[in-house]
Amino acid sequence: MAGESCELCRRHADQWLLGFTNPDPAREAAREALLASGNGYQMTRGAAPETDADAIHYPATYVAGVYNRLVSRFAGRSQTDESLVRMPNWLPITFRHPDGPWFPGDSFRITHQHQVLDLRRGIHRRALTFRDHAGRDTHVYQERFTSMARPHLSCLRTVVTALNWSGPLQIRSLIDGRVDNGNVAEYAALASQHLTGLESGHYGDQCWLAVQTTQSQVRIALAARVSVPADAGYDGGRRPVTGPGYVGHELDLTVRRATPLVTDKIVSLYTSRDPATTGVESPRVQPGVPRTLAPLSLQPRRGLGGGPAQRREPGDDHPERRSPRGVRRRPHLRTRGRPASVTTDYATVTGRTPPATTVESSRGHRGRRAG
């Protein structure tokens, strides 16, 4: 799907779009940096959701102010370095036919790809068409943003359209904790593993993963939910997926030719330096969630689905509690709550229901590029 048949190619004259067409391994790292988006609290590079960190791609998310020190030993001496910590990867979502491998891989040939950063709306958009070993052509359209109104939430919409086939399709969504700071080749000899103490689990249709930085002792927790519209051919097969360092779900779906299949992935990310809910109305810890995660409440400000507001500490606005750049330092968590709570669907986060193939964030939920 190229040229006039690509929804992003048709908008090439829009000066608010920064875009690139078709994969280019030599320039992919620079493209991912240019297409990064965030909201001041967190930032995610513009890597494709199905990619892993390798010599070409580097999917990475960072949270403002989360640093960690590591000691590297080489050539008979020690060196201490402090780095902005790479968070667990919330992006992974991929798909396959039940009789085939997961996308991407040698069995797939990309016939067209176009990705852009919508600078006006703060949305990363991607259009992709590929053919598998059986000659099945599939079109994928993705949009993602990080909310400005609820800065701990990120959203990824994936629309899969079978162009010349119908049949079953499996979708896999993960939170991947197998990450390190390895994006700079010159630092390959230095220590790069900043996260430890990984815990993960499931409750209902949500999954969660928690880690802690090795030296600064900052706890980090993510939770994710993937939702499918009621009329999307969902067969009811949702299987929990757990492996060394990752957690997620697999969904069994039925795709009809030329009919878009929409899935929405909503992820919340909190650290132990964020404010929490408080009082008797705080949600209870879900069964199966380690008690060590009890102080991490992933309820955003005003709460998801009508939850309580964030707690404000006396003196939060005092000048001495602000950083040199004027950003208020947030108190450590002091309260109890469940480790995660994710909204039911995309409309709950954005405040409105977008068209099946478009995710337009409302004015109050626009993302912006990380500086």
Side-chain angles (χ1 to χ4, degrees):
M1 183 175 289
E4 295 183 357
S5 57
C6 172
E7 51 268 71
L8 298 181
C9 288
R10 291 195 299 267
R11 299 179 57 190
H12 70 279
D14 190 341
Q15 296 183 356
W16 283 96
L17 300 183
L18 171 64
F20 305 94
T21 57
N22 297 321
D24 186 348
R27 294 179 172 86
E28 209 61 27
R31 290 181 177 183
E32 292 177 358
L34 291 171
L35 297 177
S37 59
N39 59 8
Y41 173 81
Q42 60 174 308
M43 182 277 292
T44 299
R45 286 169 56 90
E50 70 276 0
T51 59
D52 296 320
D54 54 23
I56 300 174
H57 301 284
Y58 192 73
T61 296
Y62 302 93
V63 171
V66 179
Y67 289 88
N68 190 65
R69 293 180 182 178
L70 291 178
V71 178
S72 304
R73 294 177 174 83
F74 52 91
R77 61 188 181 90
S78 299
Q79 176 177 318
T80 301
D81 297 284
E82 188 169 46
S83 304
L84 187 65
V85 178
R86 181 185 176 198
M87 299 289 107
N89 186 12
W90 66 270
L91 286 175
I93 189 166
T94 186
F95 29 81
R96 71 174 180 182
H97 299 281
D99 60 345
W102 294 103
F103 178 82
D106 296 336
S107 299
F108 303 91
R109 180 172 63 89
I110 296 176
T111 56
H112 180 69
Q113 177 174 269
H114 195 161
Q115 53 183 337
V116 303
L117 180 63
D118 188 332
L119 297 171
R120 183 190 295 272
R121 298 175 177 86
I123 299 177
H124 181 281
R125 309 177 192 270
R126 179 188 183 217
L128 170 74
T129 305
F130 63 88
R131 173 172 293 180
D132 68 4
H133 65 284
R136 291 171 290 206
D137 294 321
T138 305
H139 178 61
V140 177
Y141 184 76
Q142 293 177 317
E143 298 186 336
R144 71 178 188 245
F145 71 91
T146 301
S147 175
M148 290 291 290
R150 297 181 176 180
H152 300 273
L153 292 185
S154 298
C155 308
L156 169 62
R157 165 161 287 193
T158 301
V159 184
V160 179
T161 305
L163 300 180
N164 61 356
W165 60 277
S166 298
L169 182 73
Q170 293 180 346
I171 292 182
R172 169 183 279 188
S173 171
L174 301 176
I175 303 174
D176 191 352
R178 300 167 296 179
V179 298
D180 60 9
N181 282 43
N183 194 30
V184 182
E186 290 79 1
Y187 300 158
L190 302 179
S192 60
Q193 188 60 55
H194 291 275
L195 302 178
T196 187
L198 188 145
E199 297 176 281
S200 64
H202 301 81
Y203 51 91
D205 58 354
Q206 303 180 35
C207 64
W208 58 269
L209 183 144
V211 291
Q212 181 170 296
T213 57
T214 58
Q215 174 269 329
S216 55
Q217 301 293 294
V218 177
R219 286 193 291 167
I220 303 155
L222 298 89
R225 169 185 286 151
V226 175
S227 60
V228 181
D231 59 348
Y234 178 45
D235 292 341
R238 181 189 290 265
R239 296 178 300 280
V241 176
T242 304
Y246 63 88
V247 66
H249 285 96
E250 290 181 4
L251 283 68
D252 294 325
L253 304 169
T254 299
V255 179
R256 294 183 292 273
R257 180 174 179 175
T259 302
L261 174 67
V262 182
T263 60
D264 292 329
K265 181 176 185 178
I266 301 178
V267 180
S268 60
L269 188 162
Y270 273 71
T271 78
S272 56
R273 292 180 174 176
D274 294 315
T277 58
T278 186
V280 296
E281 71 276 10
S282 296
R284 293 183 179 180
V285 178
Q286 294 290 331
V289 175
R291 298 297 302 181
T292 55
L293 291 179
L296 280 176
S297 172
L298 298 198
Q299 297 283 355
R301 184 167 55 88
R302 296 188 302 279
L304 288 175
Q310 284 180 327
R311 179 179 181 180
R312 291 180 58 82
E313 297 290 336
D316 274 355
D317 295 320
H318 192 279
E320 292 183 1
R321 299 195 69 174
R322 294 178 180 270
S323 69
R325 294 186 179 181
V327 178
R328 180 169 56 86
R329 293 171 181 165
R330 302 187 175 193
H332 289 275
L333 289 178
R334 300 176 176 85
T335 57
R336 293 181 296 176
R338 61 183 173 182
S341 182
V342 184
T343 53
T344 301
D345 52 37
Y346 195 98
T348 306
V349 176
T350 61
R352 68 190 188 88
T353 304
T357 58
T358 304
V359 174
E360 295 287 349
S361 57
S362 63
R363 182 176 183 180
H365 295 78
R366 290 178 183 171
R368 70 182 180 196
R369 295 195 63 216

